Amino acid sequence: MKNFTTVHDIGPLDLAVKEALEVKANRFAFTDLGRNKTLLMIFFNSSLRTRLSTQKAAMNLGMNIMVLDVNQGAWKLETERGVIMDGDKAEHLLEAIPVMGSYCDIIGVRSFAGLKDKAEDYEERVINQFIKYSGRPVFSMEAATRHPLQSFADLITIEEYKTKQRPKVVMTWAPHPKALPQAVPNSFAEWMNATDYDFVITHPHGYELAPEFVGKAKVEYDQRKALEGADFVYAKNWSAYADPNYGKVLSTDRGWMVDAEKMALTDNAFFMHCLPVRRNMIVSDDVIESERSIVIPEAANREISAQVVIKRLLESL
Ligand code: AN0
Ligand code: CP
């Protein structure tokens, strides 16, 4: 694997999940693979899980790790070419990227959507510049349109917990006070569409995702109807994608929160969320604390998805 930014980079999902379960059963089997190799993790945005799980995965593989929080202590970076740099940005990404590449063997990048310019976000300008100019394999730690390490961990978790060959997985929009990217729902949809699960997306009108991510998923605007018979409920907020409201919060309707009454419509479903989650906005306390909530094992699987991805990148160095 040369880079990892989408489901398409990982090959057949059954093999990826098999490798993940092997790694999980014996996470220190490949400590020689990363010896004297350096991972550089670059964060343009905050993180708890991605930061820790990816670092742990790289340590399991015997790597050295450097972490750069671009907005804390590094020079402010200009990302547009052609700009007269007379403002507060002291360095251009076009120098910073190859310099960073010169100090490491593999680069992980977190760079969220700006939610101002749809074309710029959906072109994945930042991570694509890392791929083009760093000279190193690059993996996404959540880019503008996708969060594939999260979706891979979600898939591993569903495979571990499912009791039916073809479970019903429902991704539901839920309210949040601030505008969030579409990366997590886009990516989850992309990975679910690559399985044979019964996959349903439910959201209020106006929150339609990009058609290339919705794919063959069923879209049901009635949340209660969508949840009927679900085996997994995957809650997530996202801001609007459709013009002219790109990046906007259209609704904070708490009627869309996942609570016990909603979960009662399902087939005793497991509750999932990528975290961080705002309690009593997205999900009620009792649901996230219930024994059907698998948010903690889901987060724990981030170490495993990252380890498979970094292992494969190391193997093709
Ligand atoms: C981010 C998002 O929704 O994309 C990161 C989730 C992993 N969430 C927040 O900013 C709250
Ligand atoms: N789920 C996830 O990526 O969490 P962080 O934003 O804390 O890394």
Side-chain angles (χ1 to χ4, degrees), residues 121-134:
D121 289 343
Y122 276 69
E123 274 166 30
E124 288 287 8
R125 228 175 259 176
V126 173
I127 197 158
N128 282 335
Q129 293 198 79
F130 273 93
I131 291 171
K132 195 163 170 195
Y133 298 115
S134 71

Side-chain angles (χ1 to χ4, degrees), residues 69-250:
D69 287 293
V70 173
N71 298 321
Q72 284 167 26
W75 302 108
K76 267 200 169 170
L77 292 178
E78 178 57 61
T79 55
E80 293 298 309
R81 202 174 162 277
V83 169
I84 298 168
M85 288 174 58
D86 61 354
D88 62 342
K89 293 174 177 164
E91 176 151 29
H92 203 287
L93 205 57
L94 290 173
E95 283 78 52
I97 290 174
V99 167
M100 293 190 276
S102 74
Y103 303 140
C104 65
D105 300 283
I106 295 179
I107 301 182
V109 180
R110 166 163 283 202
S111 175
F112 288 178
L115 295 179
K116 297 212 158 56
D117 180 335
K118 183 196 276 191
E120 185 179 320
D121 289 343
Y122 276 69
E123 274 166 30
E124 288 287 8
R125 228 175 259 176
V126 173
I127 197 158
N128 282 335
Q129 293 198 79
F130 273 93
I131 291 171
K132 195 163 170 195
Y133 298 115
S134 71
R136 302 292 175 217
V138 171
F139 65 93
S140 166
M141 300 195 298
E142 187 173 335
T145 64
R146 293 173 177 88
H147 192 1
L149 284 176
Q150 180 65 49
S151 314
F152 186 14
D154 297 335
L155 174 67
I156 297 164
T157 310
I158 293 172
E159 284 295 303
E160 287 178 319
Y161 282 83
K162 75 176 189 187
T163 55
K164 296 174 191 162
Q165 185 59 33
R166 195 168 168 267
K168 177 173 177 182
V169 178
V170 179
M171 177 168 79
T172 179
W173 180 92
H176 189 278
K178 292 190 175 156
L180 296 184
Q182 297 100 35
V184 170
N186 282 346
S187 198
F188 186 70
E190 191 167 58
W191 285 67
M192 291 300 104
N193 281 327
T195 71
D196 65 352
Y197 302 160
D198 178 8
F199 178 52
V200 179
I201 304 175
T202 183
H203 55 70
H205 286 277
Y207 279 101
E208 291 78 13
L209 293 167
E212 65 265 31
F213 290 104
V214 175
K216 63 176 182 167
K218 182 167 181 248
V219 177
E220 168 57 67
Y221 290 93
D222 181 336
Q223 189 195 35
R224 286 188 166 76
K225 209 165 150 198
L227 291 171
E228 276 169 20
D231 299 299
F232 293 88
V233 174
Y234 191 93
K236 184 70 184 89
N237 172 269
W238 61 87
S239 61
Y241 169 77
D243 292 322
N245 293 319
Y246 179 70
K248 294 210 171 87
V249 175
L250 305 180

Side-chain angles (χ1 to χ4, degrees), residues 43 45-54 110 112 141-142 147 149-150 154 184 234 273-276 298-299 302:
F43 288 94
N45 312 93
S46 305
S47 167
L48 186 154
R49 277 143 292 274
T50 304
R51 179 183 299 267
L52 296 177
S53 62
T54 310
R110 166 163 283 202
F112 288 178
M141 300 195 298
E142 187 173 335
H147 192 1
L149 284 176
Q150 180 65 49
D154 297 335
V184 170
Y234 191 93
H273 189 282
C274 65
L275 307 182
E298 178 184 2
R302 289 292 307 276

